[in-house]
């Protein structure tokens, strides 16, 4: 190749690579827009059929093939409003604004529900995104109220937020998923200047880092504490294959959680934790070639077990962010996330008009309870769109997370 041809080829690559990369995201959002239009119609029909106005958000496909609708209290009620906000964010098309506002309003009362840690998932993904994109002060108040509610579940003796109420013999169960809810607390400190939310989030992250993780940086799902003295009573993996196994979504929650904790605190210990979790996940011999994990890395029946596309989507979204904090691993993390997104787009997307308008197939919710096995689940779609937005921002040299 002579000098001129080389120069031409380099400049063409420079011009074309981002355009092609953008093509993937644009295509996926165009698909998501079409499917979500279907889902909005299906939600209306399901509400009419059930004659139950309390069923406000879609969650899954039920075993009989019908659309699974949930009330606002369900831990998954904030994901669909969040998806509508993501569609609005990417397309800037006002047609998403009205449903985004309406589905967010439907679950707003959850800001006061102190009966589980899930107020974080519900309020941050709906009102948190709404505030980020509109700056309407009403949403700011909802986020702050939600954070106050979540803070009530913090026990300073344990140094953690209690995830679930006492049941199943647990006294003070804390689940790895709870790491995700810290984002609501960090946001409330940004919005109010009150550092008490931040301090609770940091204490929870530190206690979880100490007690949930094994030597190989895989994590247990549930640590049950004695609330009177903070002693550990049980270490379990309630939603996984066995107590000592690595439940795929739990590993994804940990990866995402410590990445966001590093973003908010710049504490290197959180960055290292996220990197070690990433290493456990992506060097695991049971990770399939397409990087969409089996539902549990240690199921002894692998490869004849279901995948969890939701875990893959959460991992991709987390990795795009982590790539911006880890210069030495940036290329590798981004390439891994790109590969997951490619896999999800090729083998895991629904056909347009099918599956009630859900985006991704093949998620697994709670296999031991024989619930939501290898089906579309709303949180897979939420984190898929979030990952796509992050991929897009990276390509446009914007901050990967926009508050
Ligand atoms: N947060 C519950 C789950 O991941 O299934």
């Amino acid at each position: 190749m002579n000098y001129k041809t080389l120069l031409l080829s380099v400049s063409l690559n420079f011009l074309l690579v981002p355009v092609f990369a953008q093509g993937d995201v644009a295509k996926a959002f165009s698909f998501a827009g079409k499917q979500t239009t279907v889902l909005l119609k299906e939600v209306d029909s399901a509400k009419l059929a059930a004659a139950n106005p309390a069923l406000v958000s879609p969650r899954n496909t039920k075993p009989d093939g019908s659309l699974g609708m949930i009330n606002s209290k369900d831990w998954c009620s904030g994901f669909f409003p969040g998806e509508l906000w993501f569609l609005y964010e990417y397309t800037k098309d006002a047609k998403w604004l009205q449903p985004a506002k309406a589905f967010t309003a439907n679950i707003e009362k959850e800001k006061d529900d102190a009966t589980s840690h899930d107020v974080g998932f519900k309020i941050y993904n709906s009102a948190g995104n709404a505030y980020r994109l509109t700056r309407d002060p009403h949403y700011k108040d909802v986020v702050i109220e939600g954070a106050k509610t979540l803070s009530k579940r913090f026990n300073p003796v344990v140094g953690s937020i209690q995830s679930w109420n006492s049941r199943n013999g647990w006294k003070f169960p804390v689940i790895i998923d709870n790491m995700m809810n810290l984002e609501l607390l960090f946001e409330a400190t940004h919005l109010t200047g009150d550092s008490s939310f931040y301090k609770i989030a940091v204490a929870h992250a530190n206690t979880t880092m100490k007690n949930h993780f094994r030597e190989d940086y895989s994590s247990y799902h549930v640590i049950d504490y004695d609330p009177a003295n903070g002693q550990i009573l049980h270490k379990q993996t309630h939603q996984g294959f066995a107590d000592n196994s690595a439940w795929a979504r739990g590993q994804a929650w940990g990866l995402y959680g410590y990445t966001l904790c590093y973003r908010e605190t710049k504490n290197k210990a959180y960055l290292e934790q996220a990197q070690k979790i990433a290493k456990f996940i992506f060097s695991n011999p049971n990770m399939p070639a397409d990087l969409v994990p089996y539902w549990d890395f240690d199921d002894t029946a692998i490869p004849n077990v279901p995948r969890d596309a939701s875990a893959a989507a959460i991992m991709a979204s987390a990795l795009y962010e982590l790539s911006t904090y880890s210069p030495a691993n940036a290329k590798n993390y981004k390439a891994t996330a790109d590969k997951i997104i490619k896999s999800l787009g090729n083998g895991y997307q629904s056909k347009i008009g099918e599956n009630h308008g859900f985006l991704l197939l093949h998620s697994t919710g709670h296999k031991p309870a024989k619930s939501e096995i290898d089906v579309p689940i709303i949180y897979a779609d939420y984190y898929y769109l979030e990952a796509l937005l992050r991929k897009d921002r990276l390509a446009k040299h914007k901050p990967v997370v926009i508050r």
Side-chain angles (χ1 to χ4, degrees), residues 165-173 222 224-227 233-234 236:
N165 288 348
S166 313
R167 62 178 169 96
N168 261 4
W170 295 311
K171 283 191 175 173
F172 190 100
V222 188
D224 186 33
Y225 295 94
D226 184 334
L233 301 173
H234 306 106
Q236 292 167 306

Side-chain angles (χ1 to χ4, degrees), residues 54 56-57 70-78 103-124 126-127 142-143 145-150 184:
V56 290
S57 281
I70 49 178
N71 59 30
S72 65
K73 194 176 170 65
D74 188 288
W75 81 274
C76 294
S77 67
F103 279 84
T104 299
N106 283 343
I107 71 158
E108 183 182 310
K109 66 174 184 192
E110 295 308 317
K111 68 185 189 303
D112 300 316
D113 180 12
T115 61
S116 86
H117 70 136
D118 291 326
V119 58
F121 278 111
K122 290 183 263 190
I123 294 301
Y124 190 77
S126 58
V142 175
V143 167
E145 278 310 302
K148 284 184 186 162
T149 302
L150 182 58
L184 179 73

Side-chain angles (χ1 to χ4, degrees), residues 153-167:
R153 298 185 67 81
F154 180 71
N155 175 332
V157 176
V158 178
S160 274
I161 295 162
Q162 182 172 357
S163 305
W164 297 326
N165 288 348
S166 313
R167 62 178 169 96

Side-chain angles (χ1 to χ4, degrees), residues 233-303:
L233 301 173
H234 306 106
K235 294 194 172 201
Q236 292 167 306
T237 299
H238 180 65
Q239 270 174 247
F241 179 73
D243 284 342
N244 283 321
S245 71
W247 171 52
R249 198 163 51 261
Q251 312 317 302
W253 293 141
L255 176 66
Y256 193 118
Y258 283 96
T259 303
L260 89 82
C261 283
Y262 178 68
R263 176 212 311 156
E264 296 294 339
T265 63
K266 296 292 170 245
N267 179 346
K268 284 260 163 32
Y270 298 150
L271 177 61
E272 278 163 26
Q273 188 76 6
Q275 289 170 333
K276 285 169 177 163
I277 299 169
K279 192 168 171 204
F280 171 81
I281 293 172
F282 295 101
S283 61
N284 193 295
N286 281 339
M287 175 61 100
D290 68 0
L291 303 186
V292 178
Y294 297 104
W295 77 285
D296 189 303
F297 285 99
D298 298 308
D299 188 330
T300 49
I302 284 174

Side-chain angles (χ1 to χ4, degrees), residues 198-376:
Y198 178 102
K199 286 180 185 153
I200 290 174
V202 165
H204 183 95
N206 290 344
T207 305
T208 300
M209 196 156 72
K210 198 165 121 216
N211 297 331
H212 266 76
F213 288 86
R214 308 180 183 115
E215 266 182 22
D216 61 2
Y217 292 92
S218 67
S219 54
Y220 289 95
H221 177 209
V222 188
I223 304 293
D224 186 33
Y225 295 94
D226 184 334
N229 55 24
Q231 271 179 10
I232 295 172
L233 301 173
H234 306 106
K235 294 194 172 201
Q236 292 167 306
T237 299
H238 180 65
Q239 270 174 247
F241 179 73
D243 284 342
N244 283 321
S245 71
W247 171 52
R249 198 163 51 261
Q251 312 317 302
W253 293 141
L255 176 66
Y256 193 118
Y258 283 96
T259 303
L260 89 82
C261 283
Y262 178 68
R263 176 212 311 156
E264 296 294 339
T265 63
K266 296 292 170 245
N267 179 346
K268 284 260 163 32
Y270 298 150
L271 177 61
E272 278 163 26
Q273 188 76 6
Q275 289 170 333
K276 285 169 177 163
I277 299 169
K279 192 168 171 204
F280 171 81
I281 293 172
F282 295 101
S283 61
N284 193 295
N286 281 339
M287 175 61 100
D290 68 0
L291 303 186
V292 178
Y294 297 104
W295 77 285
D296 189 303
F297 285 99
D298 298 308
D299 188 330
T300 49
I302 284 174
N304 301 314
V305 301
R307 303 291 186 99
D308 183 12
S310 79
I314 298 160
M315 288 167 186
S317 189
L319 279 182
Y320 281 128
E321 179 172 11
L322 191 58
S323 76
T324 65
Y325 306 140
S326 320
N329 299 307
K331 252 176 118 173
N332 175 20
Y333 289 158
K334 189 181 170 299
T336 305
D338 283 345
K339 189 167 174 192
I340 296 173
I341 290 300
K342 203 165 173 203
S343 296
L344 292 176
N346 287 333
Y348 294 79
Q349 274 189 187
S350 168
K351 290 208 177 94
I352 290 181
E354 295 185 5
N355 298 290
H356 302 290
F358 285 108
L359 310 182
L360 294 181
L361 313 171
H362 307 307
S363 289
T364 298
H366 192 339
K367 191 163 179 295
K370 299 189 171 43
S371 166
E372 298 180 307
I373 299 172
D374 197 11
V375 289

